[in-house]
Every structure is written in structure tokens, then in C-alpha cells.
Amino acid sequence: MIRKFFMLLAAVLLVIHSFAATELRDRLDTMPDVGGVDSLGSSFAEKYVFFVTQPIDHSQPDKGSFRQRVVVCHAGFDRPTVIVTEGYGAAYALREGYRDELSGLFDTNIIVVEHRYFLESTPQPIDWTYLTAENSACDLHHVRQLFKDVYPGKWISTGISKGGQTTMIYRAFFPDDVDISVPYVAPLCRGQEDGRHEVFLRKVGTRSERSAIKNFQIEALKRKDALLPLVDSLAKAKNHTFRIPLAEVFDFCVLEYSFAFWQWGTSVDKIPAEDADDKEVFDHLMRISGIDYFSEGTPNASFFVQAAKELGYYGYDTELFRKYLTIDSSKGYLQKIMVPQSALPVEFDATLYHRIYNFLKDSDPKMIFIYGGVDPWSAVHAPKFKKKVNEKLYFQRRGSHRTRIGTMSKRMQKKITSQINTWLN
């Protein structure tokens, strides 16, 4: 009798699950502007990838449209929803085992929105005019409106790095779209070459660590003549092309080295000894700061356009290396070698910086900012304002750009998750 009861219960649950699955798929299939819905394997109850038709310019819908890729991971209609404000492509979300950190912590649905002008969400033909922060925020708002009745519970927006910037942008333009925002390692730059990163790199870590990094950079520059044939061979093997001579490319790799070293949390133990052979020095430099970053046709091209126009970026401190450099100056390098020529000229507009800064200053949104203490991007962290009840900034002391809630101390993890739980409940 008991066995029959449990068999009947299992059958009922299966019917309920099947109905829920059909309901979600049916909703997707009947949503306006949604098409190309495909089911994906996942540990979630259901998972789909689809495309949302978005105006190329939300202020002028008659300019045309493009298709933006979106992935939804369904935990339950009664669960909170995390909207991932991706700053780049979102192909990673197609993986069967994909799960956002916040979704794992709070058992939420996930909606991942690929950023416009990246991967499958690239308008054709490309017109850089419409790659703006405001348009990207409007993209997210449109997706949010499509799902407002599907997922009526609390919403959390989140993103990592440039995705974290996008989280801030979205909240500043549409402050009531979500209940909570959690940007990870998100910079807020105020110039095309902001200036604060270089100051940060002069002080980060210990004196011996900074010395080891500087000495390696100088050693690499001293060996430039010996290492340039290796640069040439690598460029040919990888079909990289550049807008500047290889000797200048090498200079920029060396200048980038200290930023990339700290960004990804490399240990100074990985730095080759001073008497290491040329191949070892070259291989280490390329692992930390490769030539592909400065090559034409990079998948980061859309990001460089945004950085030059609105998001801002960083400069290089050349003073310590001046006598070893081929370049006269690194000033303006972003436009000179990285922004696609089809997007030039680009003039930086600080309007976005002021909009986000003033939004955070004049309001108190439920926002938790996560930063790594040695990550150079934390040099341009979100501003701290006194007397804020909701807005919180957390720094992992030796954390890199890989800093997450789960990498922090148990005490800090508990503090952050308890705060989010309170807001969700």
C-alpha cells in the first residue's frame, strides 16, 4: 500500500513537472520578439537558448534591428531570478554544467543576456554608432519586460568585470528593474586613460614583489633583439597582424605585463630567474601578456570601441623603462593600435561616468560590489559614500580579478549572503 502511494506520488510530480516544462516553453514560443528557441541540456529543470529582436537604436526603432542571444535556466516560477548582464559574448552559458554563483547560492532562475556587438549578437552590417551604454541598458530592460510576468519574484542583476560595468549601467538607467545588484570586479573609469591604475601599480603588493616584476620587465626589454625573432615566429604561426612594428608590439607587451600580472593573481615565484634562457623569458611574458591582445581582428574589438567612447580604460607608466623602449610614448595607444579603424576617430565622453557616479551618490540602491585587493581594476572601484544603508563594497585583501563571494573569508561570505537573503525575503 505504501509502495503504491509513493508510485502514485511520483507519477503526479512527473505530470506537474511536465506541465511546468510545457508552460515555460509555450510562453517562450508566444513571446513577442522571441524566436529560434532551442532546448539545452542542464542540471536545471529546463534550459533554453533563443534570440530576442532588439532595435539597433532604442531611441529610433525605425533604424532597424538585430537578434540578441539569451539563455534562460529555469529553477521555478516561484524562485528569484538572476539576470546576468554580460559584457561580452555568452557562449559559456550554453555549457550543460553552467551555473552563476548567485544562482547556486540562492537557488534562482538565470537569464544570461549576451552583450550587443559580441558573438551571435552582432548587428550586420556593423555600425559602431549604436554601440552605446544606453542602448545596452535598453536591451536588458526589454528582456526584463518580456519576463516580468513569467518570473514575478525578486530580481538580481549581476555581471563580472565589463559585465559588472554593465550591471552598474543597467541600474543607473533603469533603477527599478531589479531589486538587488551584485557587480563583480567592476571598474568605473573617468577617462580613456583614467590615470589611477598607474598609481595603484606603484603601491600594490609588497616592495619585493613590485621589484621582481619591474626587474623582469627590464630584463625582457634588454633582450628585445634576441626575443623579436620569437615574436615574429609566433605572430606568423597564429596569423596575427598589427598596425605597429613588432618592436613596438613587444614594448606594449612588456608595459602590459605588470597590469596583467596583478589582474590574474600571478605569483612572483613564476617569474623566471635573471639567468633564464631567452625561450623561458619569452614564454613567461607571452603567458602573462601575449601579443594577441594588441593584434588586429581581436574578438575584443567591440570592447575597445566602448572603452574609447564611454567605458574608459587605463594607461601605462613608461618612465621606468624609457631608455629601453622603441616607442616614444604610450599615450593614445588604445586608438592607435586597438580600436578598429572602421570606428575611428573616437572621442571619449565622460557623461556615462557622471551618470553612474551621481546615481550612486544621490540614491541608496541595494547593491553589493565585490573587488579584489590586488586587482588593478579595483583602482577605479565604485565610489564609497558615507551614510549609505544598502550600498556595500567588499574587498578581498589579496584577491585578483577572479575574486568572487566564494573566494572570500567565511566571515565575509556569511555577511554578504545574509544581507542578500534579507533583501530577498
Side-chain angles (χ1 to χ4, degrees):
M1 190 72 180
I2 294 176
R3 184 182 176 190
K4 284 184 178 180
F5 170 77
F6 280 110
M7 288 177 67
L8 180 61
L9 179 62
V12 170
L13 290 174
L14 181 61
V15 170
I16 291 172
H17 173 76
S18 299
F19 174 75
T22 304
E23 184 181 350
L24 178 59
R25 179 61 192 255
D26 286 348
R27 288 195 184 196
L28 289 173
D29 286 337
T30 57
M31 276 184 186
D33 299 327
V34 170
V37 181
D38 278 328
S39 180
L40 297 171
S42 175
S43 58
F44 281 85
E46 301 163 70
K47 181 175 178 179
Y48 301 100
V49 59
F50 53 92
F51 289 86
V52 174
T53 300
Q54 299 276 18
I56 188 73
D57 183 1
H58 285 268
S59 66
Q60 303 180 82
D62 60 332
K63 290 285 185 182
S65 61
F66 74 103
R67 297 203 319 159
Q68 184 170 42
R69 182 163 60 176
V70 178
V71 176
V72 59
C73 305
H74 178 72
F77 294 114
D78 61 342
R79 300 305 306 149
T81 299
V82 165
I83 181 168
V84 177
T85 60
E86 181 53 59
Y88 298 94
Y92 63 86
L94 302 175
R95 295 197 310 263
E96 186 172 342
Y98 165 72
R99 185 155 204 161
D100 171 79
E101 181 179 55
L102 293 175
S103 176
L105 289 170
F106 303 105
D107 187 25
T108 75
N109 306 298
I110 310 175
I111 298 175
V112 183
V113 183
E114 186 166 76
H115 202 288
R116 59 167 51 208
Y117 286 70
F118 288 87
L119 295 185
E120 300 299 313
S121 303
T122 303
Q124 295 297 335
I126 293 176
D127 186 336
W128 298 111
T129 307
Y130 307 112
L131 179 54
T132 66
E134 184 170 3
N135 272 329
S136 72
C138 290
D139 292 341
L140 292 162
H141 178 66
H142 182 35
V143 174
R144 173 70 175 90
Q145 292 301 106
L146 290 173
F147 280 87
K148 67 179 181 180
D149 295 326
V150 178
Y151 296 130
K154 295 288 180 71
W155 280 64
I156 307 172
S157 59
T158 189
I160 298 169
S161 191
K162 181 173 176 288
Q165 282 182 302
T166 311
T167 302
M168 290 193 284
I169 292 164
Y170 179 38
R171 197 69 189 271
F173 278 93
F174 296 98
D176 300 323
D177 262 21
V178 299
D179 302 280
I180 304 162
S181 295
V182 184
Y184 292 85
V185 294
L188 182 57
C189 298
R190 57 193 181 200
Q192 199 173 101
E193 295 180 21
D194 184 282
R196 288 174 286 174
H197 304 87
E198 297 92 309
V199 176
F200 178 90
L201 289 171
R202 293 182 206 128
K203 300 177 181 178
V204 66
T206 66
R207 182 176 295 179
S208 63
E209 286 174 319
R210 295 193 299 273
S211 179
I213 292 166
K214 179 194 71 176
N215 290 341
F216 175 78
Q217 290 174 284
I218 290 174
E219 184 62 30
L221 287 169
K222 285 180 178 178
R223 300 191 193 198
K224 187 185 301 185
D225 290 342
L227 298 182
L228 277 177
L230 299 177
V231 175
D232 186 47
S233 296
L234 180 61
K236 288 174 179 174
K238 300 290 186 180
N239 294 317
H240 290 315
T241 58
F242 307 92
R243 300 215 298 260
I244 56 176
L246 283 184
E248 295 185 11
V249 173
F250 183 83
D251 282 355
F252 279 107
C253 288
V254 174
L255 292 172
E256 173 70 18
Y257 176 84
S258 57
F259 191 103
F261 186 98
W262 288 111
Q263 179 178 1
W264 301 115
T266 311
S267 168
V268 292
D269 295 338
K270 303 290 185 182
I271 298 176
E274 193 173 337
D275 59 355
D277 62 34
D278 291 341
K279 183 71 164 58
E280 188 178 351
V281 170
F282 177 77
D283 287 346
H284 175 72
L285 177 61
M286 291 300 102
R287 273 195 297 273
I288 305 300
S289 175
I291 57 174
D292 57 312
Y293 194 59
F294 302 100
S295 68
E296 294 184 297
T298 172
N300 289 322
S302 298
F303 164 55
F304 295 140
V305 173
Q306 290 183 279
K309 283 172 63 174
E310 293 182 286
L311 300 185
Y313 211 49
Y314 54 88
Y316 294 118
D317 193 344
T318 59
E319 200 56 44
L320 291 171
F321 314 109
R322 190 164 300 282
K323 69 177 183 178
Y324 305 106
L325 296 172
T326 302
I327 60 172
D328 294 325
S329 170
S330 64
K331 208 74 176 167
Y333 74 97
L334 195 59
Q335 295 197 64
K336 182 181 178 183
I337 61 178
M338 297 163 85
V339 173
Q341 292 182 336
S342 58
L344 295 174
V346 181
E347 186 173 337
F348 184 78
D349 184 348
T351 301
L352 178 66
Y353 167 80
H354 292 296
R355 177 158 190 155
I356 296 172
Y357 183 94
N358 289 334
F359 167 70
L360 295 173
K361 176 173 68 72
D362 298 335
S363 58
D364 189 15
K366 294 181 174 70
M367 295 186 75
I368 289 179
F369 294 88
I370 307 294
Y371 289 104
V374 300
D375 178 12
W377 287 114
S378 70
V380 289
H381 61 72
K384 293 180 181 179
F385 296 107
K386 292 180 180 179
K387 298 181 180 178
K388 294 286 183 178
V389 175
N390 296 316
E391 186 188 334
K392 306 291 183 184
L393 276 71
Y394 294 97
F395 293 80
Q396 184 181 349
R397 193 178 71 84
R398 292 282 298 189
S400 70
H401 209 55
R402 295 186 173 94
T403 297
R404 305 290 182 265
I405 295 170
T407 66
M408 293 188 162
S409 67
K410 296 296 183 185
R411 181 186 65 82
M412 201 169 286
Q413 287 183 46
K414 185 177 180 182
K415 192 172 183 179
I416 294 168
T417 56
S418 295
Q419 179 65 81
I420 295 174
N421 263 321
T422 299
W423 288 338
L424 287 175
N425 294 323

